[in-house]
Amino acid sequence: MKWLYIIAGIALFVKMLVIPNPAPDLSISIVESIVQDSGVPNAVSGIIFRNRLYDTIYEVVVFTIAILGANFLLANERPSCTIYQFTDQPSIVLARLGATIAALVGIELAIRGHLSPGGGFAAGVAGGTAIGLVAITSSSEWMQAIYKRWHAATWEKVSVLIFIILAAITLAGVELPHGELGALVSGGVVPLLNILVAIKVALGSWAVILVFIRYRGLL
């Protein structure tokens, strides 16, 4: 069987060297076609939330399952007695300043991700970074209390459900008006999907951060 794999690999290598790939049709710009179909200047967002929307749905679902798995695997462990955090004032100030900047960047990426480089996943990562920086400078009980007070777990699940519903409607062929290309309110459902993904990733990161602080004592 090993020799069969080796022969197949050599044959594939020879095929790539000997048989040329067909020349692409350059009469139509692929990027321009995506921008025209999706109604957003950011072709990457158009691909993620329109051309490859099936993949994006399952990426969101996989991220949700990963968060549930982290809670499930650590649920039976003993909480950590020691929590490692910044204690010196300069580090705390710098971390919270970084958290403020990351949060503002995350909001900008979520709102304008369909117009410029960015998008829901990048915005969610920026938001999760902001939450992580606050977590290593604040009391874990305070972070947990805010998480419960604002029902972050519920909002996370609601954002996933709304995302799946909007994605299913889009895949069924029903689309909102694209509006004027380049305007903030444009692109149909793409900006909404961007914001929902940002909320999902940021709140999911918050949940994982709290779990690791409780059971590991550090991020």
Side-chain angles (χ1 to χ4, degrees):
M1 185 63 69
K2 179 177 67 175
W3 288 106
L4 182 60
Y5 293 151
I6 294 175
I7 294 172
I10 294 174
L12 179 61
F13 180 73
V14 171
K15 181 265 178 189
M16 290 187 294
L17 289 178
V18 176
I19 303 176
N21 291 323
D25 183 10
L26 300 179
S27 61
I28 300 176
S29 173
I30 298 177
V31 175
E32 291 181 0
S33 299
I34 295 173
V35 170
Q36 183 178 1
D37 291 340
S38 60
V40 296
N42 185 356
V44 176
S45 293
I47 293 173
I48 292 175
F49 293 115
R50 194 177 186 280
N51 297 50
R52 299 183 65 87
L53 186 53
Y54 273 119
D55 295 348
T56 306
I57 292 175
Y58 289 111
E59 286 174 5
V60 173
V61 173
V62 166
F63 187 80
T64 304
I65 294 174
I67 296 170
L68 295 175
N71 283 279
F72 176 77
L73 292 175
L74 296 176
N76 294 326
E77 294 195 12
R78 180 179 301 175
S80 176
C81 298
T82 305
I83 297 177
Y84 301 92
Q85 294 178 319
F86 289 155
T87 55
D88 58 302
Q89 195 63 29
S91 297
I92 293 176
V93 172
L94 289 175
R96 293 184 177 177
L97 176 61
T100 303
I101 296 173
L104 293 175
V105 170
I107 294 172
E108 196 273 341
L109 290 176
I111 295 176
R112 295 177 52 85
H114 61 297
L115 303 179
S116 59
F121 290 100
V125 171
T129 301
I131 294 171
L133 290 172
V134 173
I136 61 179
T137 60
S138 307
S139 167
S140 59
E141 291 81 8
W142 179 74
M143 293 289 295
Q144 187 71 40
I146 293 180
Y147 184 82
K148 292 182 178 179
R149 182 190 308 168
W150 292 99
H151 307 285
T154 302
W155 283 109
E156 178 194 352
K157 296 176 178 61
V158 169
S159 65
V160 174
L161 292 176
I162 296 177
F163 178 87
I164 293 175
I165 292 173
L166 289 179
I169 293 174
T170 302
L171 291 172
V174 180
E175 295 190 37
L176 296 176
H178 287 172
E180 182 183 355
L181 181 65
L184 184 61
V185 182
S186 63
V189 76
V190 173
L192 298 177
L193 297 179
N194 256 333
I195 294 174
L196 289 172
V197 170
I199 293 173
K200 164 60 189 171
V201 174
L203 295 182
S205 301
W206 192 354
V208 173
I209 287 171
L210 292 178
V211 168
F212 276 91
I213 288 177
R214 181 179 182 185
Y215 294 106
R216 291 289 185 264
L218 71 167
L219 302 180

